Amino acid sequence: MSKKYIQAIKGMNDILPIQTPLWQHIEEKIRHVLEAYSYQEIRLPLLEKTELFSRAIGEVTDIVEKEMFTFLDRPDKHGKADSLTLRPEGTVGCVRAGIEQGLFYNQIRRLWYMGPMFRHENPQKGRYRQFYQIGAEVYGLSGPDIDAEIILMTARFWQHLGINDLELQINSLGTASTRATYREHLVKYFSDHHSELDADSQRRLHKNPLRILDSKNPEIQALIEAAPQLLDYLDEESQAHFTGLKQLLDHIGITYQVNPRLVRGLDYYNRTVFEWVTKSLGSQGTVCAGGRYDSLVEQQGGHSTPAIGFAMGIERLALLLSQNVPDNTPHIYLIMVGEKTITQGFSLAESLRDALPKLRLLTHCGGGSFKSQFKRADKSGALMALILGEDEIAKQQVTLKYLREKKPQISLAQTEIVEYLSPFFSN
Ligand code: ATP
Ligand code: MG
């Protein structure tokens, strides 16, 4: 059958009404925790200049090499067109905004954002081309205490969402000079095993060998396991920073695994990196990931500003929580039979919404017989129907019918309805 309608773009999903209650639930819980730690929201453009991402994330990374949605803007009056990119992540835009708006200099900022990101990946469960992230970034603090705060806050997300199968992995990437020394040893090791590397890794060997450690190809995992470890090359200060973080986590009772092969897929990280991982989503197991990026603000043209942040994918959280979709069916369906009942029915509905803010009241629109309206009431999933017909109007009453329980219908004076319903819907 030929499809006449235009379909959505591959990897870009509609989040349907059946899914949105869960998404709203996740967003609300996380927003609540962010507020409890006094983080402030920032809202940023979806489009930025391409150069911003290629410079910050690194030319030889999956994102910049093959995952960005990039296109030319319309030319200006001189015929010059900028290359623009749909943001693949949130940190770089946040850094750009902070520098441009003067948010960082001599200040401490704890920020968070939420919204869609775009990466041209191979779509599969938990991996899409448009996906949603909630992330947080802290600027102006360089010690391990803020690293611990960030990790504690993420742990509290899982606690509030009721997710308990996530494992925390941490590592330290040291400084740029630690990595330079380590890089030489790593290149030597992988060069000695050149024929065992896949094509991607062979290409990366001299351009960006640390990225090989981030490879998801199962065939080279054993080779990666046996590679020299960055932790053995750490400078003293980074070592002390990492020890400080581990001590804080130990003290507060957060369990973690040190994963010496955790390097993260972006170039701007240094020192602390971490991921929260689940075994239940296959190779899409990283739910939340982050780390320190102390040189990015300066590299992008700002004053030197230490920074740390993380981002998590809402789709992956929704997959983990798909068994606990919150109920958003209406509580009450208001049936109005006969034209004269509509004005009174609407007033009644508004007064119920005023008096009972927790009530989900669905008002019938579109007329029709009692029978057809009653069918709709039943289909809506509502617990009760309120019925307003000409009889009821004459007596200033309303009929209440329980739709899910075997209870007799009752007649209530319109003045009594709120009192009758409030025990059900007041909290
Ligand atoms: P992965 O290793 O799974 O590709 P990543 O290291 O590229 O992830 P980050 O850039 O650190 O991911 O993004 C942070 C989080 O955003 C991830 O842990 C994941 O939850 C989510 N995420 C990243 N890419 C996607 C995607 N294409 N679809 C859905 N969620 C994603
Ligand atoms: Mg990725």
Side-chain angles (χ1 to χ4, degrees):
M1 192 181 80
S2 76
K3 295 197 174 94
K4 289 231 176 73
Y5 58 91
I6 296 171
Q7 293 174 288
I9 296 164
K10 185 175 170 187
M12 309 223 167
N13 299 313
D14 306 307
I15 317 291
L16 298 176
I18 193 165
Q19 297 162 289
T20 49
L22 179 57
W23 279 61
Q24 287 167 358
H25 170 76
I26 294 170
E27 290 163 9
E28 254 166 53
K29 291 279 177 193
I30 289 178
R31 186 182 283 129
H32 176 78
V33 175
L34 287 159
E35 279 168 9
Y37 284 77
S38 223
Y39 282 53
Q40 296 174 304
E41 187 183 4
I42 185 163
R43 298 191 183 193
L44 300 160
L46 301 193
L47 268 181
E48 299 274 5
K49 292 190 182 151
T50 304
E51 194 193 349
L52 182 74
F53 299 113
S54 44
R55 247 213 277 171
I57 296 172
E59 295 283 356
V60 193
T61 55
D62 277 349
I63 293 183
V64 173
E65 274 187 334
K66 53 188 186 194
E67 293 177 358
M68 296 207 301
F69 281 91
T70 296
F71 56 91
L72 280 182
D73 196 2
R74 287 170 197 273
D76 63 15
K77 59 181 185 227
H78 308 292
K80 186 182 158 290
D82 281 330
S83 174
L84 305 181
T85 292
L86 277 167
R87 63 180 189 189
E89 54 101 88
T91 303
V92 180
C94 193
V95 166
R96 198 257 323 125
I99 297 170
E100 200 171 335
Q101 310 296 338
L103 302 183
F104 299 154
Y105 189 49
N106 268 342
Q107 296 166 81
I108 292 169
R109 293 278 177 187
R110 286 172 167 85
L111 305 174
W112 68 272
Y113 59 82
M114 164 156 36
M117 306 294 159
F118 304 85
R119 296 186 195 176
H120 210 284
E121 303 204 57
N122 210 3
Q124 49 200 293
K125 188 178 168 192
R127 191 177 294 285
Y128 311 101
R129 292 188 176 175
Q130 173 170 333
F131 61 98
Y132 289 76
Q133 281 186 340
I134 302 178
E137 317 285 350
V138 178
Y139 298 92
L141 293 168
S142 59
D145 49 354
I146 187 65
D147 304 18
E149 174 180 293
I150 285 251
I151 290 175
L152 274 171
M153 185 165 75
T154 52
R156 192 174 290 270
F157 293 151
W158 323 137
Q159 190 195 334
H160 281 231
L161 287 168
I163 299 176
N164 39 33
D165 76 328
L166 296 185
E167 183 187 276
L168 172 63
Q169 299 188 354
I170 60 172
N171 192 20
S172 176
L173 303 181
T175 61
S177 81
T178 333
R179 281 205 301 283
T181 317
Y182 172 64
R183 187 193 150 112
E184 283 171 28
H185 289 81
L186 198 63
V187 170
K188 164 127 192 15
Y189 168 82
F190 282 128
S191 303
D192 290 345
H193 296 85
H194 194 266
S195 60
E196 295 160 59
L197 290 172
D198 58 20
D200 248 1
S201 304
Q202 286 179 355
R203 204 166 36 79
R204 286 184 172 173
L205 183 55
H206 294 285
K207 282 190 181 161
N208 198 344
L210 262 73
R211 288 284 81 78
I212 301 176
L213 302 178
D214 197 40
S215 163
K216 300 213 167 47
N217 180 358
E219 282 166 25
I220 64 166
Q221 289 310 310
L223 194 62
I224 290 173
E225 294 268 323
Q229 296 191 356
L230 183 50
L231 278 180
D232 296 332
Y233 294 78
L234 282 196
D235 57 288
E236 240 172 69
E237 263 185 66
S238 299
Q239 193 91 55
H241 186 107
F242 197 43
T243 307
L245 170 63
K246 287 188 290 186
Q247 279 171 348
L248 269 166
L249 294 179
D250 289 337
H251 182 74
I252 295 156
I254 300 270
T255 316
Y256 56 83
Q257 294 290 322
V258 174
N259 175 358
R261 279 167 297 279
L262 184 66
V263 291
R264 311 282 308 109
L266 302 84
D267 269 2
Y268 51 61
Y269 288 113
N270 67 295
R271 292 212 169 133
T272 310
V273 288
F274 69 94
E275 290 191 355
W276 287 96
V277 187
T278 171
K279 289 197 174 67
S280 60
L281 296 176
S283 57
Q284 279 62 254
T286 305
V287 172
C288 171
R292 193 161 262 294
Y293 50 96
D294 295 326
S295 34
L296 185 60
V297 175
E298 193 173 8
Q299 186 213 313
Q300 293 296 310
H303 296 276
S304 171
T305 307
I308 178 165
F310 66 86
M312 58 198 152
I314 304 185
E315 287 82 357
R316 293 188 193 178
L317 291 173
L319 283 168
L320 289 180
L321 290 167
S322 54
Q323 305 304 317
N324 329 1
V325 180
D327 180 25
N328 74 336
T329 48
H331 298 117
I332 295 183
Y333 193 100
L334 177 60
I335 293 173
M336 292 167 278
V337 192
E339 254 174 51
K340 291 190 199 113
T341 60
I342 294 174
T343 41
Q344 272 208 27
F346 266 63
S347 303
L348 176 68
E350 289 309 307
S351 63
L352 288 177
R353 292 184 181 114
D354 284 341
L356 304 166
K358 296 269 162 77
L359 172 69
R360 292 192 295 271
L361 172 64
L362 186 56
T363 305
H364 181 85
C365 285
S369 66
F370 173 77
K371 200 174 158 200
S372 69
Q373 292 194 34
F374 192 77
K375 261 194 189 159
R376 290 234 191 137
D378 191 42
K379 216 175 153 189
S380 75
L383 305 173
M384 305 170 188
L386 282 182
I387 302 154
L388 206 55
E390 267 146 29
D391 260 12
E392 280 86 356
I393 297 274
K395 296 182 193 155
Q396 288 297 296
Q397 285 185 338
V398 65
T399 302
L400 186 147
K401 214 170 157 46
Y402 286 89
L403 299 173
R404 315 288 149 201
E405 291 168 273
K406 277 205 165 27
K407 280 191 190 172
Q409 69 176 42
I410 49 175
S411 294
L412 291 164
Q414 287 184 15
T415 48
E416 292 169 359
I417 306 171
V418 167
E419 200 187 324
Y420 182 85
L421 293 175
S422 42
F424 298 97
F425 305 114
S426 57
N427 51 36

